[in-house]
Amino acid sequence: MDVTVTSVLLMVAGILLVAGLWTPISGTGVAVIEMWKVLALPGDKWVWLLLATAGAALAMLGPGLWSVDARLFGWKRVEASPRRSTSNSA
């Protein structure tokens, strides 16, 4: 894959991530492209690994409250149920 093509894909994915549109898809795209750069290209691999990690985290966390995805599809919040107390009173 040509470096120019990956740069254009990363620019488009970055714009989508900033807008909050198609967040899981664009975050996965960023993670895959950056991991390809880590494995295939010479250069500073730590920066690419950091960007791949950030893209994967955004793909897993999903869009924020003020994103386009939240406006189109609704914002879903994961609620953790409270812990049950297990007291052993003797």
Side-chain angles (χ1 to χ4, degrees), residues 9-74:
L9 289 174
L10 285 173
M11 185 177 66
V12 169
I15 291 170
L16 289 174
L17 283 173
V18 168
L21 182 62
W22 300 334
T23 307
I25 296 168
S26 55
T28 303
V30 168
V32 167
I33 292 172
E34 293 296 337
M35 281 308 295
W36 171 79
K37 286 168 65 174
V38 166
L39 297 173
L41 297 177
D44 190 9
K45 298 191 184 303
W46 290 108
V47 172
W48 297 334
L49 185 63
L50 176 67
L51 291 172
T53 305
L58 284 171
M60 288 187 280
L61 289 173
L65 180 60
W66 297 316
S67 65
V68 176
D69 279 343
R71 299 285 183 225
L72 292 176
F73 307 113

